[in-house]
Amino acid sequence: MSTRQKIFLFCFLSLIFIGCDQVTKNLVKEHLEEGVSTSYMNDTFRLIFVQNTGAALNLGDDLPPVISFWVLSIIPLIILTGLFLYAMTNVRTIGAMKLLSFCLIFAGGIGNIIDRILYDRHVTDFMNVGFGSLRTGIFNFADVCVTSGVILFFVFRKDKEVGVNSPQ
């Protein structure tokens, strides 16, 4: 795959993932009542609309608004910008799966930062999975992207990166 194709794919997929995240969050806001849980597949999967001002599992929810804005929006935005620049600078040598992992992490992070900036630190979460009392926290599509990206990264972290002069 050429460098141009990799860059295009990274940007295109990022926009698709961010778009899916924003569309699902808007659908939840339009069609679900906040705090009401709807259960599917024998209560394995639940839809429940919540607004989260913290990070995962509401960590940082009680931070003062200014600190929360910096810690949960600006610093992650700087880190994601660095990830994007790293990926674009090294796109020729990064393997396709590792690049996909960076794309998922980037898109998921940006999806949640969009919410934090546009909706006064509130991120829409709506999915919950589990069996009986063993359940996940409530999460969204952006969280699925970030988690999938991190898992992919660790699975493919030792992939031989393509050398500049080696055949692809």
Side-chain angles (χ1 to χ4, degrees):
M1 185 179 297
S2 76
T3 300
R4 282 184 148 188
Q5 289 172 323
K6 284 181 170 181
I7 291 171
F8 173 79
L9 203 53
F10 183 99
C11 294
F12 179 73
L13 288 176
S14 291
L15 289 173
I16 294 294
F17 295 142
I18 292 167
C20 287
D21 174 60
Q22 293 299 302
V23 166
T24 57
K25 289 173 180 174
N26 286 331
L27 286 170
V28 164
K29 290 176 189 176
E30 288 176 24
H31 298 287
L32 295 181
E33 186 178 336
E34 194 164 355
V36 176
S37 177
T38 307
S39 144
Y40 300 93
M41 298 173 7
N42 284 342
D43 203 35
T44 302
F45 184 78
R46 293 180 188 165
L47 289 179
I48 180 169
F49 170 27
V50 297
Q51 295 289 338
N52 181 5
T53 57
L57 302 173
N58 280 342
L59 294 173
D61 188 42
D62 55 353
L63 290 172
V66 172
I67 293 173
S68 172
F69 177 73
W70 280 93
V71 170
L72 299 176
S73 297
I74 301 304
I75 292 172
L77 184 58
I78 292 167
I79 292 168
L80 290 170
T81 301
L83 175 67
F84 177 80
L85 292 173
Y86 173 82
M88 292 302 103
T89 302
N90 296 287
V91 71
R92 288 187 306 146
T93 60
I94 297 174
M97 294 307 288
K98 194 178 286 185
L99 193 63
L100 176 61
S101 74
F102 290 157
C103 174
L104 285 162
I105 294 166
F106 174 77
I110 293 296
N112 279 338
I113 288 173
I114 288 170
D115 279 22
R116 291 190 188 286
I117 291 172
L118 292 181
Y119 306 112
D120 188 32
R121 302 175 303 125
H122 292 83
V123 174
T124 299
D125 288 332
F126 56 92
M127 292 184 276
N128 178 267
V129 179
F131 302 98
S133 62
L134 181 62
R135 305 206 64 83
T136 65
I138 302 171
F139 58 95
N140 60 41
F141 186 81
D143 300 330
V144 172
C145 287
V146 170
T147 303
S148 300
V150 169
I151 291 168
L152 270 179
F153 177 78
F154 282 110
V155 168
F156 291 97
R157 75 183 179 277
K158 292 188 179 188
D159 263 9
K160 294 257 184 210
E161 294 193 354
V162 179
V164 175
N165 295 322
S166 63
Q168 298 184 13

